[in-house]
Amino acid sequence: MAAGATASRDEVEKVGEALLDRWSEPGRHFHNLRHLTDVLARVDELAEETHEPDLVRLAAWYHGAIFDAAERASYAHRGGEDERASAALARRELVDLGLPEHAVQRVVELVEALARHAPAPEDFDCAVLCDADLAMLASEPQKYKAYLAEVRAEYAHLPVEQFVRARIKILRRLAERQNLFASPLGAAWEESARQNVGAELHRLEKELARIEVDRATATSRPDGTDAHAASVTSGADRGTAAPGA
């Protein structure tokens, strides 16, 4: 292994196969093997800006290794990717593979940094990993639409209104950032990402306003009919259960 592992090839491959199994678990509609492949491809695009590209790639492999979209994991605050648990997994497995301690610690730091996507200005490796993970925001419209549907599918257990509110909270945080991408090459994705984020936020704010109007209407109906529930059902049939779709 280029990162300095002393374990045998068989041991390294066994760990790699286990990681592939993790990324292929049921329920991973977006944070799956395709996402991992996309992040690794983006890291390759930006690799010339890194100091230790092999460690950045290792961090990409582990960054979403542990995933839980259960309702107890608040989508608006953390989503399903458990960076802390994934970093702990990376530490255990990379130590067992014989990576030098400084390399293990660096991978752990990079994985944990994805909880905030706010790399220090001088940390180019972290900037590249963060940009690679957020690169989906800059996708062409049809791919972005598919991304939204996949994320909604991962959180299908959340009611429409709860998911819409959580997604709006995430999008507003993104829109308020001075820069979405931190690396010089990643900066080329800024305009496309801003357009996608802005358009989705506008659609969801309109959707939330409609939900609130429907609720107000329901409370004023003399026959007691729940207009909000009926509207949400019809909205799901039109595809509004997947924001931006």
Side-chain angles (χ1 to χ4, degrees), residues 1 5-18 96-97:
M1 182 186 289
T6 59
S8 68
R9 177 175 292 276
D10 286 345
E11 291 174 298
V12 172
E13 289 180 352
K14 184 177 180 180
V15 170
E17 289 170 359
D96 289 345
L97 290 177

Side-chain angles (χ1 to χ4, degrees), residues 44-200:
D44 286 345
E45 286 183 46
L46 306 177
E48 66 184 74
E49 297 183 359
T50 63
H51 296 300
E52 297 179 291
D54 291 316
L55 299 187
V56 177
R57 292 186 181 97
L58 271 177
W61 271 90
Y62 278 99
H63 83 279
I66 295 181
F67 180 87
D68 180 11
E71 193 163 2
R72 65 181 178 274
S74 172
Y75 175 59
H77 294 288
R78 180 172 63 79
E81 289 183 313
D82 191 332
E83 292 86 4
R84 181 174 296 182
S86 295
L89 175 69
R91 182 184 296 279
R92 292 195 302 272
E93 295 190 345
L94 295 180
V95 166
D96 289 345
L97 290 177
L99 256 71
E101 176 56 32
H102 77 274
V104 173
Q105 182 59 33
R106 183 56 174 151
V107 171
V108 168
E109 292 171 353
L110 288 170
V111 173
E112 291 179 339
L114 288 180
R116 297 182 62 247
H117 287 90
E122 70 280 1
D123 193 342
F124 295 106
D125 287 351
C126 189
V128 164
L129 182 62
C130 289
D131 286 2
D133 191 42
L134 290 179
M136 179 57 68
L137 297 176
S139 301
E140 62 274 12
Q142 287 303 311
K143 189 172 183 180
Y144 191 78
K145 180 179 179 180
Y147 150 68
L148 296 180
E150 290 162 358
V151 170
R152 181 61 180 119
E154 285 185 339
Y155 295 91
H157 57 281
L158 294 181
V160 173
E161 181 177 353
Q162 185 177 343
F163 180 79
V164 168
R165 288 186 183 278
R167 185 72 181 173
I168 287 174
K169 185 173 183 178
I170 291 170
L171 293 170
R172 285 176 176 168
R173 286 204 304 264
L174 289 169
E176 289 168 0
R177 290 177 55 161
Q178 183 175 357
N179 296 295
L180 293 172
F181 301 101
S183 67
L185 288 176
W189 303 331
E190 190 80 20
E191 183 177 354
S192 295
R194 292 278 177 190
Q195 291 175 352
N196 284 332
V197 168
E200 185 191 356

